[in-house]
Amino acid sequence: MLTQVDRQILKSWRQYAVEPRLAKITGRVMRNTGPRIAIIGNCQSFGVAYAMKVLDPSATVDHFSMIARARSTMGLFAKTLETYDYVFSHDFLDGHVRGGGSEELCKRLPKTMIFPAITFAAFHPDLVYIHDLSRMHGFVCGPIGPYHSAIALFAYRKGLSVEMANALFNENVFDALGYFDMWNDASRELVDGTRDRYGLDLSAELMNWSRRGVFMYSTVHPMSFVLFDLSKKLFETVGLKPRTVNFNYYAIHDLARSEIFPIYPSIAKRYGAQGGYMFKLQNHHISTTVGDFLTLPQYIASCYKIYSGHDPSQLSNPRVDAWVADEATSGLLMRLARENFVAGLTPTL
């Protein structure tokens, strides 16, 4: 079965080698007369590719999704990308293309510009992943895909009931865990990381994003205007002139089709935003169904059911492991769960 990358390679050669000749024979005027741009990467890369097309409608902008394992070899992939004027790529590991990852691509194609994936944890400090060590780049999936609540996982591992786990989702618990103090660390990680690793200064962009309120759907899924600003930065870095355009008018919120982790109310309040406990399930078929959501009790119950089907050794996360191992932290959380439950502090919405 061909992956998106395999199909895009075939499409690219048709666009590059076949369509111009057909246009010459038929007299058809080519619509895309600008630069050829390739975008390679993870789930954020489509948003970057789309934004670049908005920035230059005359450009041919092709998106290569590095999520599944492609049949194509790195040799064919690099040869295909040679036909592009500009190549932008996220870091990607061996296995997505046979014969190497982004490091090998850069060796074969030095014009490749590696660009950052935007991550920011301050809005969703409770979101963690559970790695599945049996699969390459694999994760244990919960009710909303790979996104897990550290608090819910802790509660399950300590044997708390769903109702007692529900009582942990309160301001006193978030305060005890340091969830209100993550903005500065998240900002430094984003700004310093993109500057030191990729040579891009996003400090002004981060300030503008924060002025707009919440700008992430999860720790790894930014909103479309974030990816638009990143695309402008990439254009300017390679000497392309971005078009002046109102992106809000043309924006496609592609990552909103995926899972959305809520911003808990007391955390949202700190940032002047509205929060809640509504967990959105992924829905990539939005043209045929509106999708579904889970309340907090439903989410916790679903987590418990899924976790019960796994060996305890498979439910490991460094942060939660540390909480469980530390008697003071574990004891504090257990006490707060009991006190909040007795006080009737079991939020749902």
Side-chain angles (χ1 to χ4, degrees):
M1 182 176 178
L2 297 181
T3 67
Q4 189 272 348
V5 168
D6 298 315
R7 294 192 299 271
Q8 186 61 60
I9 287 174
L10 294 174
K11 177 183 175 183
S12 175
W13 282 109
R14 186 179 71 247
Q15 290 175 336
Y16 178 72
V18 178
E19 291 184 3
R21 295 180 183 179
L22 289 177
K24 188 174 182 180
I25 293 172
T26 62
R28 180 171 63 88
V29 177
M30 297 291 291
R31 181 186 300 125
N32 298 329
T33 57
R36 285 173 54 82
I37 302 172
I39 309 296
I40 306 148
N42 60 28
C43 48
Q44 298 183 21
S45 56
F46 173 82
V48 173
Y50 178 78
M52 287 191 174
K53 182 65 175 178
V54 174
L55 287 169
D56 185 355
S58 73
T60 296
V61 183
D62 288 331
H63 168 234
F64 297 83
S65 176
M66 285 296 157
I67 296 178
R69 294 176 183 238
R71 292 176 176 268
S72 303
T73 64
M74 178 57 72
L76 175 60
F77 190 44
K79 186 175 180 63
T80 302
L81 295 174
E82 284 178 358
T83 68
Y84 289 84
D85 301 301
Y86 301 93
V87 178
F88 300 93
S89 177
H90 282 140
D91 294 299
F92 63 91
L93 299 175
D94 296 358
H96 293 293
V97 176
R98 291 188 294 146
S102 54
E103 186 176 346
E104 177 64 22
L105 175 61
C106 289
K107 290 179 182 178
R108 294 177 181 240
L109 198 66
K111 68 180 176 181
T112 303
M113 179 180 179
I114 302 296
F115 71 98
I118 302 297
T119 60
F120 194 80
F123 295 122
H124 308 92
D126 190 43
L127 192 160
V128 296
Y129 297 90
I130 304 175
H131 289 274
D132 181 353
L133 300 180
S134 68
R135 296 188 297 130
M136 183 186 77
H137 323 318
F139 299 94
V140 172
C141 282
I144 57 167
Y147 299 160
H148 296 266
S149 158
I151 292 174
L153 179 59
F154 169 84
Y156 176 82
R157 289 180 53 178
K158 293 297 289 185
L160 294 179
S161 67
V162 170
E163 293 76 18
M164 290 285 280
N166 200 154
L168 282 171
F169 287 80
N170 278 286
E171 185 171 358
N172 53 4
V173 174
F174 304 153
D175 187 40
L177 294 175
Y179 282 4
F180 297 126
D181 305 317
M182 295 187 67
W183 184 273
N184 289 340
D185 286 344
S187 299
R188 279 192 295 269
E189 183 177 347
L190 174 60
V191 174
D192 293 349
T194 53
R195 183 187 61 241
D196 297 343
R197 170 69 177 87
Y198 304 97
L200 295 176
D201 182 3
L202 294 178
S203 55
E205 283 76 11
L206 176 58
M207 184 178 297
N208 290 332
W209 300 338
S210 62
R211 287 171 176 165
R212 296 184 63 162
V214 177
F215 55 85
M216 303 290 291
Y217 294 119
S218 70
T219 57
V220 295
H221 279 182
M223 294 185 179
S224 58
F225 63 84
V226 173
L227 298 177
F228 177 74
D229 287 347
L230 174 62
S231 300
K232 284 198 298 183
K233 200 81 171 182
L234 295 175
F235 257 44
E236 293 164 355
T237 300
V238 299
L240 289 170
K241 187 175 181 180
R243 178 190 184 98
T244 300
V245 62
N246 177 12
F247 182 70
N248 291 333
Y249 190 71
Y250 297 98
I252 292 177
H253 302 283
D254 178 62
L255 291 176
R257 298 184 304 160
S258 190
E259 300 88 353
I260 295 181
F261 204 87
I263 304 177
Y264 303 160
S266 55
I267 294 172
K269 186 177 179 181
R270 299 292 177 106
Y271 303 123
Q274 180 178 349
Y277 289 109
M278 189 165 70
F279 295 78
K280 178 188 174 295
L281 282 67
Q282 70 151 340
N283 177 23
H284 293 288
H285 303 285
I286 202 163
S287 62
T288 58
T289 174
V290 298
D292 213 344
F293 299 82
L294 297 173
T295 64
L296 179 57
Q298 290 171 335
Y299 171 75
I300 297 172
S302 295
C303 285
Y304 273 40
K305 182 177 181 179
I306 291 171
Y307 297 161
S308 67
H310 287 79
D311 187 274
S313 63
Q314 296 177 309
L315 301 176
S316 178
N317 170 267
R319 186 197 306 178
V320 178
D321 293 346
W323 291 351
V324 172
D326 183 70
E327 291 185 7
T329 300
S330 186
L332 174 60
L333 292 178
M334 296 292 281
R335 177 175 62 81
L336 290 174
R338 290 191 297 269
E339 292 176 355
N340 290 346
F341 180 75
V342 170
L345 300 177
T346 51
T348 58
L349 302 177

